[in-house]
Amino acid sequence: MEEELKCPVCGSLFREPIILPCSHNVCLPCARTIAVQTPDGEPHLPQPLLHSRGSGLPAGAAAAPPLDHDAAAGPACSGGGGSAAGGLGGGAGGGGDHADKLSLYSETDSGYGSYTPSLKSPNGVRVLPMVPAPPGSSAAAARGAACSSLSSSSSSSITCPQCHRSASLDHRGLRGFQRNRLLEAIVQRYQQGRGAAQGASAASAVAICQLCDRTPPEPAATLCEQCDVLYCAACQLKCHPSRGPFAKHRLVQPPPPPAPAEAASASPGAAQGAPSGGGGCKSPGGTGAGAAGGSAARKFPTCPEHEMENYSMYCVSCRTPVCYLCLEEGRHGKHEVKPLGAMWKQHKAQLSQALNGVSDKAKEAKEFLVQLKNILQQVQENGLDYEACLVAQCDALVDALTRQKAKLLTKVTKEREHKLKMVWDQINHCTLKLRQSTGLMEYCLEVIKENDPSGFLQISDALIKRVQVSQEQWVKGALEPKVSAEFDLTLDSEPLLQAIHQLDFIQMKCRVPPGPLLQLEKCCTHNNSVTLAWRMPPFTHSPVDGYILELDDGDGGQFREVYVGKETLCTIDGLHFNSTYNARVKAFNSSGVGPYSKTVVLQTSDVAWFTFDPNSGHRDIILSNDNQTATCSSYDDRVVLGTAAFSKGVHYWELHVDRYDNHPDPAFGVARASVVKDMMLGKDDKAWAMYVDNNRSWFMHCNSHTNRTEGGVCKGATVGVLLDLNKHTLTFFINGQQQGPTAFSHVDGVFMPALSLNRNVQVTLHTGLEVPTNLGRPKLSGN
């Protein structure tokens, strides 16, 4: 994860990171060094430079805003840009002859560095060196004037050191870019954890009370955000009571101690290390930055345009948190906005979901590395075995084989080295990808731990895209070995002695493949489908053109072919429920068909679990509740089928009537897959159904309704359907009472649960039910 926390410019951990428009981060001090000033014309040159050339520009010439509000003396004067600022001062403070020798608009005498990829810099960033000031010039005055005053027509820009996109700076300069508070907090926590791991004692660096008269002072217990004073328990009760004007002050936990690097940068010695001629510029890593970093973790973030207002909404158009004043007065007034908390949770969920995919790929990559290392070992072992065999054969031949033996050994060695190189290249490539993905995962997990919604939303889009790109890099075939550990070579020692000089390797004679090995841990059943997986035995030298999978009929009958192809994983659907199937597989090639594998026994489910099928239903059917609840958007009857198909056995399911308005006529039953979907179930010859109103029911098939039975449905009623394909009967029940005699006799084939309804009815399907034994007898009536 450390690579995610390093600035691409300086290569160190981020300090005061800001978010560029391209979503990349850069340290604020580093941003000052790579910002570029571009004057538009010579009449608007900085005042000191014009005076050096004898210009008559008045003293009241307008000045461009500095790149950073915190660095009024100019960003180039602070931090890493000090040398560049010296270059400007040196170029501006000299006489006219010296100024004429330099381009006033060049990077050298502007004092600002620019992003330039360089092979000499590991971070690809070049900060321009200082140009020596000519003798007799006032370097301090030139530096100060150049840092604080530029022409009103000059513009500033910054180029991202990672994607090389340029962004213009507005009147606020670098402070116009948002601060990445989440990244700053994670860096601080990482530094503290690393310091503890290196043996740093956290107890010795705790914050102390600022008002104690004891020696030594007591550790601080609270911090007043309004007073900005640390109190121990005793001093807090004495000097800061919770009443009167102090009642509204907010007391929080004291900030964590600064990391060693921060403490060093905040020391007086570091602050005094800047050149005296720098015009009073202060280092960005000084005490001010440390204080800002400590308070960012405990104070609520405020809007940069309205500093007294907290973030309250999220602008979907601009993808940034905003306050209510931004919506009332600012440029976000007509934009689409959403609640900050809701978008925070939504983006966290998206990032977590994307991380799951990367986590799975990382797990596969680890397993793939183990596989590659095993292949590496096998290549070593098999190579040694082949060398030993070759040496034994060659030593048994006459002296004429000596020279040819050396050539053959060379071929085997080259083959082994080629395989080893390919495997090592894959290991190195996969290890690099895995390390990058793991670092990104750890960084994202740290981001998810943060409780700052606006800060999270500032970077969530970019992180989600990075995680998705990281997942997409594991393309199909990336986790497959490029070479085999086997050496498909053999030595033919039968030729006559006259052919010794033509002795060479030949491909192994093709033989029928051996029986495949069933991978029982991957073989499974679900409902009325079975999945089988197999592989070839290790060290199999015979080529394989394909496989033949055979399955019996579920009753111990003859086997039949259900799959022929090159895949080693196959799923067979549409089997009988509550049946036991035997399966076996064999391989074949150009030489013939190999032996069968061992037989595996698979048991399908006792009862059927299914839902409504959204692909087979009419387009007016509306499914919900994981496709278990159905309604309709049309007043006409529409048909929807279930996802299960039955051809054998006894099956029972129920439908609960959730809504029943204006006495419609829903129909329940079974149908073939080709049933008509835009009319009542049972009006064609492909369906068998019971349609029912609020008083009675009828059996319907081929648009003929018979067997009227008293008893209808209402809201809350339960309709049961009993399909017995062993006896070829179909029976219906309403609230446990059988509706008329059974029907559906002497019909064979494959049937699917079916339902027709209109917009006045809503039903919920219940499956996986045992066949009930206490169902009531029918209540018959006349036609």
Side-chain angles (χ1 to χ4, degrees), residues 97 107 192 242 290 296 314 331 349 366 428 445 468 473 475 489 547 610 634 649 658 662 685 700 775-777:
D97 295 339
E107 292 179 344
Q192 293 172 356
S242 301
Y314 179 79
R331 57 188 178 90
K366 291 180 181 178
N428 295 333
L445 291 175
Q468 292 172 348
Q473 74 176 346
V475 296
L489 304 170
Y547 303 92
F610 59 91
S634 171
D658 303 325
N662 302 324
D685 60 347
M700 176 173 283
L775 294 173
R777 301 305 302 165

mmCIF file of all heavy atoms in Angstrom, residues 97 107 192 242 290 296 314 331 349 366 428 445 468 473 475 489 547 610 634 649 658 662 685 700 775-777:
data_model
loop_
_atom_site.group_PDB
_atom_site.id
_atom_site.type_symbol
_atom_site.label_atom_id
_atom_site.label_comp_id
_atom_site.label_asym_id
_atom_site.label_seq_id
_atom_site.Cartn_x
_atom_site.Cartn_y
_atom_site.Cartn_z
ATOM 1 N N ASP A 97 21.989 44.655 -19.536
ATOM 2 C CA ASP A 97 22.709 43.744 -20.415
ATOM 3 C C ASP A 97 22.434 42.307 -20.061
ATOM 4 O O ASP A 97 22.245 41.465 -20.932
ATOM 5 C CB ASP A 97 24.218 44.040 -20.336
ATOM 6 C CG ASP A 97 24.546 45.431 -20.887
ATOM 7 O OD1 ASP A 97 23.712 45.955 -21.664
ATOM 8 O OD2 ASP A 97 25.604 45.961 -20.517
ATOM 9 N N GLU A 107 11.429 29.300 -19.002
ATOM 10 C CA GLU A 107 11.225 28.653 -17.711
ATOM 11 C C GLU A 107 12.328 29.019 -16.743
ATOM 12 O O GLU A 107 12.135 29.093 -15.540
ATOM 13 C CB GLU A 107 11.161 27.138 -17.888
ATOM 14 C CG GLU A 107 9.920 26.673 -18.639
ATOM 15 C CD GLU A 107 9.914 25.184 -18.816
ATOM 16 O OE1 GLU A 107 10.992 24.592 -18.632
ATOM 17 O OE2 GLU A 107 8.871 24.609 -19.117
ATOM 18 N N GLN A 192 2.278 6.688 11.655
ATOM 19 C CA GLN A 192 2.266 6.307 13.067
ATOM 20 C C GLN A 192 2.456 4.805 13.231
ATOM 21 O O GLN A 192 3.210 4.351 14.096
ATOM 22 C CB GLN A 192 0.952 6.752 13.707
ATOM 23 C CG GLN A 192 0.791 8.257 13.786
ATOM 24 C CD GLN A 192 -0.601 8.663 14.240
ATOM 25 O OE1 GLN A 192 -1.459 7.793 14.420
ATOM 26 N NE2 GLN A 192 -0.807 9.950 14.431
ATOM 27 N N SER A 242 -17.644 23.780 32.207
ATOM 28 C CA SER A 242 -18.713 23.521 31.227
ATOM 29 C C SER A 242 -19.944 24.348 31.547
ATOM 30 O O SER A 242 -21.071 23.840 31.618
ATOM 31 C CB SER A 242 -19.046 22.030 31.204
ATOM 32 O OG SER A 242 -17.926 21.277 30.875
ATOM 33 N N GLY A 290 1.893 21.199 9.784
ATOM 34 C CA GLY A 290 1.657 20.187 10.809
ATOM 35 C C GLY A 290 0.395 20.460 11.581
ATOM 36 O O GLY A 290 -0.369 19.553 11.911
ATOM 37 N N ALA A 296 -7.192 18.570 10.724
ATOM 38 C CA ALA A 296 -8.082 18.084 9.675
ATOM 39 C C ALA A 296 -8.815 16.838 10.114
ATOM 40 O O ALA A 296 -9.895 16.549 9.643
ATOM 41 C CB ALA A 296 -7.287 17.828 8.405
ATOM 42 N N TYR A 314 -24.448 16.780 -2.294
ATOM 43 C CA TYR A 314 -23.480 16.310 -3.294
ATOM 44 C C TYR A 314 -24.018 16.670 -4.667
ATOM 45 O O TYR A 314 -25.152 16.299 -5.030
ATOM 46 C CB TYR A 314 -23.291 14.801 -3.176
ATOM 47 C CG TYR A 314 -22.327 14.231 -4.191
ATOM 48 C CD1 TYR A 314 -20.953 14.341 -4.029
ATOM 49 C CD2 TYR A 314 -22.792 13.561 -5.321
ATOM 50 C CE1 TYR A 314 -20.072 13.816 -4.953
ATOM 51 C CE2 TYR A 314 -21.915 13.030 -6.256
ATOM 52 C CZ TYR A 314 -20.563 13.167 -6.049
ATOM 53 O OH TYR A 314 -19.688 12.631 -6.969
ATOM 54 N N ARG A 331 -22.671 28.400 -8.441
ATOM 55 C CA ARG A 331 -22.881 27.844 -9.783
ATOM 56 C C ARG A 331 -23.580 26.492 -9.762
ATOM 57 O O ARG A 331 -23.864 25.927 -10.815
ATOM 58 C CB ARG A 331 -21.548 27.704 -10.497
ATOM 59 C CG ARG A 331 -20.541 26.847 -9.756
ATOM 60 C CD ARG A 331 -19.186 26.904 -10.417
ATOM 61 N NE ARG A 331 -18.184 26.134 -9.702
ATOM 62 C CZ ARG A 331 -17.934 24.856 -9.935
ATOM 63 N NH1 ARG A 331 -18.614 24.208 -10.870
ATOM 64 N NH2 ARG A 331 -16.994 24.214 -9.264
ATOM 65 N N ALA A 349 -20.591 1.490 -1.270
ATOM 66 C CA ALA A 349 -21.071 0.183 -1.721
ATOM 67 C C ALA A 349 -20.487 -0.176 -3.085
ATOM 68 O O ALA A 349 -20.102 -1.331 -3.328
ATOM 69 C CB ALA A 349 -22.603 0.175 -1.775
ATOM 70 N N LYS A 366 -2.837 -15.804 -6.640
ATOM 71 C CA LYS A 366 -1.999 -16.525 -5.692
ATOM 72 C C LYS A 366 -1.983 -18.021 -6.006
ATOM 73 O O LYS A 366 -0.934 -18.666 -5.979
ATOM 74 C CB LYS A 366 -2.507 -16.291 -4.271
ATOM 75 C CG LYS A 366 -2.307 -14.860 -3.766
ATOM 76 C CD LYS A 366 -2.835 -14.696 -2.349
ATOM 77 C CE LYS A 366 -2.640 -13.260 -1.868
ATOM 78 N NZ LYS A 366 -3.193 -13.068 -0.496
ATOM 79 N N ASN A 428 7.142 -13.436 -12.719
ATOM 80 C CA ASN A 428 7.467 -12.039 -12.450
ATOM 81 C C ASN A 428 6.318 -11.109 -12.843
ATOM 82 O O ASN A 428 5.969 -10.181 -12.113
ATOM 83 C CB ASN A 428 8.737 -11.635 -13.199
ATOM 84 C CG ASN A 428 9.963 -12.389 -12.701
ATOM 85 O OD1 ASN A 428 10.004 -12.819 -11.542
ATOM 86 N ND2 ASN A 428 10.948 -12.580 -13.550
ATOM 87 N N LEU A 445 -9.365 -0.224 1.181
ATOM 88 C CA LEU A 445 -9.946 -0.615 2.467
ATOM 89 C C LEU A 445 -9.719 0.463 3.524
ATOM 90 O O LEU A 445 -10.589 0.727 4.359
ATOM 91 C CB LEU A 445 -9.344 -1.949 2.920
ATOM 92 C CG LEU A 445 -9.743 -3.173 2.084
ATOM 93 C CD1 LEU A 445 -9.003 -4.410 2.554
ATOM 94 C CD2 LEU A 445 -11.248 -3.402 2.178
ATOM 95 N N GLN A 468 -11.940 -1.060 -10.985
ATOM 96 C CA GLN A 468 -12.499 -1.760 -12.135
ATOM 97 C C GLN A 468 -11.438 -2.044 -13.185
ATOM 98 O O GLN A 468 -11.412 -3.123 -13.783
ATOM 99 C CB GLN A 468 -13.630 -0.924 -12.724
ATOM 100 C CG GLN A 468 -14.852 -0.831 -11.816
ATOM 101 C CD GLN A 468 -15.889 0.152 -12.330
ATOM 102 O OE1 GLN A 468 -15.605 0.930 -13.248
ATOM 103 N NE2 GLN A 468 -17.081 0.117 -11.772
ATOM 104 N N GLN A 473 -7.666 -6.046 -15.781
ATOM 105 C CA GLN A 473 -6.343 -6.440 -16.269
ATOM 106 C C GLN A 473 -6.140 -7.960 -16.205
ATOM 107 O O GLN A 473 -5.278 -8.499 -16.867
ATOM 108 C CB GLN A 473 -5.262 -5.730 -15.469
ATOM 109 C CG GLN A 473 -5.072 -6.274 -14.043
ATOM 110 C CD GLN A 473 -3.927 -5.605 -13.333
ATOM 111 O OE1 GLN A 473 -3.126 -4.939 -13.959
ATOM 112 N NE2 GLN A 473 -3.833 -5.793 -12.038
ATOM 113 N N VAL A 475 -7.326 -10.484 -17.619
ATOM 114 C CA VAL A 475 -8.089 -10.942 -18.763
ATOM 115 C C VAL A 475 -8.039 -12.461 -18.843
ATOM 116 O O VAL A 475 -7.229 -13.129 -18.197
ATOM 117 C CB VAL A 475 -7.544 -10.317 -20.067
ATOM 118 C CG1 VAL A 475 -7.737 -8.818 -20.037
ATOM 119 C CG2 VAL A 475 -6.073 -10.645 -20.234
ATOM 120 N N LEU A 489 9.348 -35.243 -26.152
ATOM 121 C CA LEU A 489 10.461 -35.704 -26.983
ATOM 122 C C LEU A 489 10.827 -37.129 -26.582
ATOM 123 O O LEU A 489 10.721 -37.507 -25.411
ATOM 124 C CB LEU A 489 11.680 -34.784 -26.818
ATOM 125 C CG LEU A 489 11.472 -33.285 -27.114
ATOM 126 C CD1 LEU A 489 12.684 -32.489 -26.683
ATOM 127 C CD2 LEU A 489 11.190 -33.066 -28.586
ATOM 128 N N TYR A 547 -13.810 -34.781 -25.534
ATOM 129 C CA TYR A 547 -14.325 -35.687 -24.506
ATOM 130 C C TYR A 547 -15.770 -36.055 -24.838
ATOM 131 O O TYR A 547 -16.492 -35.304 -25.498
ATOM 132 C CB TYR A 547 -14.267 -35.035 -23.124
ATOM 133 C CG TYR A 547 -12.891 -34.591 -22.719
ATOM 134 C CD1 TYR A 547 -12.450 -33.288 -22.980
ATOM 135 C CD2 TYR A 547 -12.013 -35.465 -22.074
ATOM 136 C CE1 TYR A 547 -11.190 -32.873 -22.615
ATOM 137 C CE2 TYR A 547 -10.745 -35.049 -21.701
ATOM 138 C CZ TYR A 547 -10.334 -33.754 -21.975
ATOM 139 O OH TYR A 547 -9.077 -33.355 -21.602
ATOM 140 N N PHE A 610 -38.284 -23.498 -7.727
ATOM 141 C CA PHE A 610 -38.286 -22.728 -8.967
ATOM 142 C C PHE A 610 -38.979 -21.389 -8.724
ATOM 143 O O PHE A 610 -39.602 -21.152 -7.669
ATOM 144 C CB PHE A 610 -38.971 -23.491 -10.103
ATOM 145 C CG PHE A 610 -40.403 -23.874 -9.828
ATOM 146 C CD1 PHE A 610 -41.447 -23.032 -10.199
ATOM 147 C CD2 PHE A 610 -40.716 -25.066 -9.209
ATOM 148 C CE1 PHE A 610 -42.760 -23.374 -9.949
ATOM 149 C CE2 PHE A 610 -42.027 -25.418 -8.950
ATOM 150 C CZ PHE A 610 -43.060 -24.573 -9.329
ATOM 151 N N SER A 634 -51.778 -5.282 -17.795
ATOM 152 C CA SER A 634 -52.861 -5.250 -18.785
ATOM 153 C C SER A 634 -54.140 -5.813 -18.169
ATOM 154 O O SER A 634 -54.110 -6.658 -17.267
ATOM 155 C CB SER A 634 -52.464 -6.056 -20.026
ATOM 156 O OG SER A 634 -53.565 -6.199 -20.898
ATOM 157 N N GLY A 649 -42.311 -38.034 -11.966
ATOM 158 C CA GLY A 649 -42.399 -37.800 -10.536
ATOM 159 C C GLY A 649 -43.659 -37.054 -10.136
ATOM 160 O O GLY A 649 -44.521 -36.714 -10.948
ATOM 161 N N ASP A 658 -52.270 -12.439 -3.309
ATOM 162 C CA ASP A 658 -51.968 -11.233 -2.545
ATOM 163 C C ASP A 658 -52.986 -10.120 -2.785
ATOM 164 O O ASP A 658 -53.243 -9.312 -1.898
ATOM 165 C CB ASP A 658 -50.574 -10.713 -2.912
ATOM 166 C CG ASP A 658 -49.502 -11.765 -2.680
ATOM 167 O OD1 ASP A 658 -49.642 -12.532 -1.717
ATOM 168 O OD2 ASP A 658 -48.533 -11.810 -3.466
ATOM 169 N N ASN A 662 -62.219 -6.692 -8.176
ATOM 170 C CA ASN A 662 -63.215 -6.704 -9.264
ATOM 171 C C ASN A 662 -63.467 -8.100 -9.825
ATOM 172 O O ASN A 662 -63.843 -8.250 -10.993
ATOM 173 C CB ASN A 662 -62.792 -5.750 -10.386
ATOM 174 C CG ASN A 662 -62.624 -4.339 -9.892
ATOM 175 O OD1 ASN A 662 -63.375 -3.889 -9.018
ATOM 176 N ND2 ASN A 662 -61.632 -3.627 -10.427
ATOM 177 N N ASP A 685 -54.314 -25.936 -26.938
ATOM 178 C CA ASP A 685 -54.075 -27.337 -26.604
ATOM 179 C C ASP A 685 -52.726 -27.557 -25.936
ATOM 180 O O ASP A 685 -52.296 -28.705 -25.757
ATOM 181 C CB ASP A 685 -54.162 -28.192 -27.870
ATOM 182 C CG ASP A 685 -53.121 -27.776 -28.907
ATOM 183 O OD1 ASP A 685 -52.510 -26.697 -28.749
ATOM 184 O OD2 ASP A 685 -52.920 -28.530 -29.883
ATOM 185 N N MET A 700 -60.038 -26.172 -17.577
ATOM 186 C CA MET A 700 -60.037 -25.704 -18.969
ATOM 187 C C MET A 700 -58.868 -26.297 -19.733
ATOM 188 O O MET A 700 -57.727 -26.321 -19.245
ATOM 189 C CB MET A 700 -59.955 -24.170 -19.030
ATOM 190 C CG MET A 700 -59.848 -23.637 -20.464
ATOM 191 S SD MET A 700 -59.951 -21.838 -20.560
ATOM 192 C CE MET A 700 -61.706 -21.623 -20.361
ATOM 193 N N LEU A 775 -54.872 -33.226 2.464
ATOM 194 C CA LEU A 775 -55.703 -32.350 1.657
ATOM 195 C C LEU A 775 -57.144 -32.841 1.655
ATOM 196 O O LEU A 775 -57.399 -34.051 1.655
ATOM 197 C CB LEU A 775 -55.166 -32.263 0.233
ATOM 198 C CG LEU A 775 -53.798 -31.584 0.094
ATOM 199 C CD1 LEU A 775 -53.305 -31.704 -1.316
ATOM 200 C CD2 LEU A 775 -53.874 -30.127 0.509
ATOM 201 N N GLY A 776 -58.103 -31.884 1.598
ATOM 202 C CA GLY A 776 -59.515 -32.232 1.689
ATOM 203 C C GLY A 776 -60.041 -32.854 0.409
ATOM 204 O O GLY A 776 -59.444 -32.799 -0.654
ATOM 205 N N ARG A 777 -61.209 -33.463 0.536
ATOM 206 C CA ARG A 777 -61.874 -34.056 -0.619
ATOM 207 C C ARG A 777 -62.607 -32.974 -1.397
ATOM 208 O O ARG A 777 -62.887 -31.891 -0.879
ATOM 209 C CB ARG A 777 -62.876 -35.126 -0.167
ATOM 210 C CG ARG A 777 -62.227 -36.244 0.639
ATOM 211 C CD ARG A 777 -61.082 -36.884 -0.126
ATOM 212 N NE ARG A 777 -61.534 -37.408 -1.403
ATOM 213 C CZ ARG A 777 -60.726 -37.759 -2.394
ATOM 214 N NH1 ARG A 777 -59.415 -37.630 -2.256
ATOM 215 N NH2 ARG A 777 -61.225 -38.224 -3.509
#
